[in-house]
Amino acid sequence: MKLVDLRSDTVTKPTTAMRRAMAEAEVGDDVYGEDPTVNRLQERAAELFGKEAALFVPSGTMGNQICVKLHTRPGTEIILEERSHIFNYEMGAAAAFSGVTCRPVRGEDGLLNWNLIAPAIHHSAPYYVTPTSLVALENSHNMAGGAVLPLSVINDICQHAHALGLPTHLDGARIFNAALALNTTVAEIARPFDSVMFCLSKGLGAPVGSMIVGTKDFIKEAVSVRKMLGGGMRQVGVLATAGMLALEESPKLLAEDHANAKRLATGLAELPGVKIDPERVQTNIAIFDIAATGISTAQMAAELKTRGVLANGINAREMRMVTHYDVSREEIKQTIKITKEILGR
Ligand SMILES: Cc1ncc(COP(=O)(O)O)c(C=O)c1O
């Protein structure tokens, strides 16, 4: 039985075209800057994002942490959203590797704006107050149900931060989903940020890899920090070639993922005790509250699994389902039916 895997968009398998390209990739030693496929991917990413340069890194976490390291100095703090990936799911790397603390700010439905951020910033504060060194946003916001920060809000936050001399970083793991939801380009979202990290290995389907984009000087330093973290790779064109297909081809498929997430949310919203507002499902992530059903999230995940659907509880109340190109419209229907059956027992 084929499992319907809605745990994450990271579970996507490389396409046939990616596997073929990997077998035939032209490669060289990328630590010497001699892998032509990696170089092409980096040039193309920089072009697409409207930045001077780009760097291929093994993971989103490494990409984010390289940027944190370069923007900050030890003994300072980063402002981020309470449910953000950098704060919650990167093993305290900002503290362990860059010596910075995180100041989480709760967004409205996960979305920050300057009014929420401003009071948390320590700028020109007395010398004994931990100074802010970076503002980091996440778009789309994974744990806020794939919520999307509008361009006007992004621009406003970055403008205010820059006016205070603070750099801005975007965790754009799913920036292509955000761009689709906002009906804009990734370059337009990336424009006000000093650095952006985005993932090739999530909804875009590459087996491995993320990228960071920024100025030439920033990326030059990022190469050294990547090496420090053990992220200097050799004939990595075999991965970059899949990344290139992810970059060029996969964004076209995301509309179907968004439509499927919306269908899923609409179906789930009709089930007794399930709380989700389909209007708020803007991208490929549906987070729904099942506390009122009397079934725990662990139980729900287990019951779904016995019926061939994989999904995770993210806390005691909420389940998360993520759509991607390996899940069809029919399987979404099936998932709603199965969830209904579990709740109807
Ligand atoms: C928003 C966000 N940022 C960063 C990452 C980290 O990516 P990776 O798993 O490649 O380290 C993830 C992974 O799920 C994510 O959802």
Side-chain angles (χ1 to χ4, degrees), residues 59-61 64 85 90 138 142 171 173-174 197 199 202 210:
S59 69
T61 301
N64 277 334
H85 198 276
E90 301 193 2
E138 184 175 314
N142 181 358
D171 177 346
R174 297 180 179 80
M197 182 287 292
C199 295
K202 301 203 159 56
S210 293

